[in-house]
Amino acid sequence: QHPADTRDARAFWRGSCLNHETREGRTEKNKPGKAATPDGSSPWGETTCERDAGNRARMLAASLTAARPDLFDVRCNRVAPPSNFSCVRGGARKEHDAARAAILNAPATITDATWHEPHDYARYRYLVNLPGETSGSYSRNLNHLWATGAVVLLWNAKIVEFYYPALAVAESVGVVDRASAADLLDALNADAAARARLAEGALGI
């Protein structure tokens, strides 16, 4: 374990930031799935926008690195952010547009193709758990985060795993989105006791 005070004070995440609209950025072994129907819906009855719920969350999170690199090390090993936001309403639509623009304007800032071993995660104070690519599906990334001694941050998304109700927000996990993440990290970096409580709570899960 790395001592909490010597850890990198940023929030860390690595994964792909792609979309279900194109095959851009994908390999033969990682295709976007079945082609959409002519009306833009998927063979499972979802629109491309709905299927990209997880990819949109990843895009929003990665854009934080462009805005606050002092707080976020949320980067993508492959970058092709979604552009179909037809299912997003109100102010969230502007937020999505701004996040996509931030990524496209500074792709080198949020791209990292380096492979990171599990022990690399333990160098950070904060670890972000983001939804899976398709429809915000389950991401296996969370499984190994609890034991790292870091503060675990769950992205505020519609996907809910069966054990989420048992998690105590502000005791074992933090919950963040694009609007709240920077404020929470600024507050936690200034409050060692609060950080310690969250890290200890995560170890107890």
Side-chain angles (χ1 to χ4, degrees):
Q1 293 283 356
H2 294 266
D5 290 341
T6 65
R7 291 186 181 217
D8 190 315
R10 296 174 297 170
F12 178 84
W13 179 86
R14 289 295 186 276
S16 62
C17 302
L18 302 176
N19 66 78
H20 285 86
E21 303 163 53
T22 70
R23 294 182 183 274
E24 182 182 359
R26 294 182 180 271
T27 66
E28 279 299 308
K29 292 184 179 180
N30 187 11
K31 298 178 180 178
K34 298 180 181 179
T37 58
D39 66 357
S41 64
S42 78
W44 297 276
E46 298 173 306
T47 65
T48 301
C49 180
E50 290 167 337
R51 290 200 73 211
D52 268 333
N55 283 322
R56 293 199 314 275
R58 293 172 175 216
M59 175 190 71
L60 291 169
S63 73
L64 291 169
T65 298
R68 291 289 305 271
D70 59 314
L71 286 180
F72 299 96
D73 189 5
V74 176
R75 304 174 196 268
C76 314
N77 50 38
R78 286 170 293 153
V79 183
S83 62
N84 182 349
F85 306 143
S86 58
C87 62
V88 182
R89 301 289 182 266
R93 179 65 177 267
K94 292 183 179 179
E95 181 184 48
H96 280 60
D97 288 336
R100 187 171 192 273
I103 289 175
L104 295 180
N105 288 337
T109 302
I110 59 91
T111 303
D112 177 16
T114 305
W115 175 258
H116 292 268
E117 298 292 345
H119 63 260
D120 293 328
Y121 287 55
R123 297 190 296 105
Y124 289 81
R125 280 185 186 173
Y126 312 101
L127 298 176
V128 182
N129 181 68
L130 291 167
E133 287 187 50
T134 303
S135 302
S137 57
Y138 169 64
S139 173
R140 291 175 295 175
N141 180 61
L142 185 59
N143 291 347
H144 74 275
L145 302 187
W146 305 118
T148 60
V151 173
V152 176
L153 303 174
L154 298 182
W155 193 259
N156 189 10
K158 290 183 179 180
I159 184 69
V160 176
E161 298 298 333
F162 71 92
Y163 54 84
Y164 278 15
L167 301 178
V169 175
E171 293 182 17
S172 57
V173 296
V175 177
V176 297
D177 56 23
R178 188 171 183 265
S180 66
D183 287 343
L184 179 61
L185 262 63
D186 279 332
L188 288 174
N189 278 333
D191 190 340
R195 289 200 311 271
R197 284 194 300 271
L198 281 167
E200 290 171 6
L203 284 171
I205 293 175

